[in-house]
Amino acid sequence: MARIGIIGSEGAMGHALAHVVAASGHELAGGIDRGGDPAGLADASDVLIDFSVPQALDANLHAAIGAGIPIVIGTTGLDTSHRDAIDNAARVVAVLQTGNTSLGVTLLAHLVREAAARLGPDWDIEILEMHHRRKVDAPSGTALLLGEAAAQGRGIDLAEQSERGRDGHTGARQEGAVGFASLRGGTVAGEHSVILAGEEERLTLSHSAENRSIFARGAVRAAEWMLAREAGRYTMEEVLGLQ
């Protein structure tokens, strides 16, 4: 049994995590939200799960480092400075950061990487995602995770070879680019499709999230797995034994 601390406890994911922690037989060490004390929570925990906001990431990482415990980060909307901070923290403690903690999405990313590598650059890749009306970032963290998987399979830099928000006279599609399209509406928990379009054939790899509990279950499984890890940066694929 582990003591699991939740950062972002008052959000929808925070509530889902609390239920899954209780059902899994672990102890909920506590939870904090905006204005809370991450250091105090870390001191009372064996592992932290962070589903808060990018602005809180530095303080949350410092709390994990101060307590010498692992941290699972599911917060999306991170930029380069956040990723650098995660890399620095991973020199001291075990850190797992992902755009999606779903076990199904983790396997999907693995399949996307394989498909992109084996089908080659003459197959166009488009990523379509839809989320609830209240989601504030686009493309979603999951869409970017899938885009990175496709780019790794192709051996390209996603930042340099992606197309987003096409509108008006855009010209022909950039050869080898990964395209993104984002839809928002209703209460959709998460829909993602990766379309690989070749000459006269098309392959679609998809995942549908029916409830946020799938992300909570994956995050708790990752937290369990992280308890035995040394300092370093880890992935959900490693949790599933795919790397």
Side-chain angles (χ1 to χ4, degrees):
M1 184 177 71
R3 298 173 300 164
I4 299 176
I6 300 173
I7 303 174
S9 59
E10 295 306 308
M13 271 304 303
H15 289 294
L17 280 165
H19 286 297
V20 172
V21 169
S24 66
H26 295 296
E27 177 186 343
L28 180 60
I32 61 167
D33 212 86
R34 182 173 303 186
D37 175 21
L41 178 63
D43 287 339
S45 306
D46 297 317
V47 58
L48 295 174
I49 300 178
D50 180 9
F51 276 89
S52 57
V53 294
Q55 295 87 339
L57 182 64
D58 283 343
N60 299 338
L61 289 171
H62 283 304
I65 291 171
I69 62 171
I71 181 170
V72 175
I73 302 167
T75 302
T76 59
L78 305 182
D79 60 25
T80 302
S81 66
H82 297 123
R83 298 183 191 284
D84 289 342
I86 291 170
D87 287 339
N88 290 332
R91 297 188 178 99
V92 185
V93 295
V95 183
L96 188 155
Q97 179 272 321
T98 179
N100 192 303
T101 54
S102 158
L103 302 181
V105 166
T106 300
L107 182 57
L108 174 61
H110 179 76
L111 296 174
V112 168
R113 185 179 297 107
E114 286 291 306
R118 296 178 185 277
L119 292 177
D122 52 335
W123 286 65
D124 299 323
I125 300 176
E126 293 286 315
I127 299 173
L128 174 65
E129 56 102 344
M130 182 171 183
H131 285 83
H132 53 88
R133 63 172 68 94
R134 298 183 187 281
K135 187 168 179 61
V136 298
D137 56 309
S140 69
T142 303
L144 293 172
L145 180 153
L146 296 171
E148 287 289 355
Q152 290 168 11
R154 288 274 172 87
I156 62 174
D157 185 339
L158 181 65
E160 295 181 357
Q161 291 188 259
S162 65
E163 295 185 357
R164 307 182 189 182
R166 301 184 183 104
D167 183 44
H169 187 73
T170 61
R173 188 184 195 283
Q174 178 186 347
E175 183 176 354
V178 177
F180 292 89
S182 298
L183 308 178
R184 296 288 179 266
T187 58
V188 179
E191 300 277 346
H192 294 85
S193 293
V194 180
I195 303 164
L196 297 101
E199 294 295 325
E200 301 180 342
E201 58 181 326
R202 186 169 67 250
L203 172 66
T204 302
L205 302 170
S206 299
H207 178 271
S208 297
E210 299 177 3
N211 189 287
R212 287 187 180 85
S213 63
I214 68 168
F215 310 123
R217 288 195 295 271
V220 170
R221 179 162 170 179
E224 293 170 341
W225 185 86
M226 289 284 280
L227 289 169
R229 305 302 136 189
E230 297 179 351
R233 185 161 183 173
Y234 298 94
T235 68
M236 285 298 296
E237 287 199 355
E238 290 174 288
V239 175
L240 284 186
L242 297 174
Q243 287 185 348

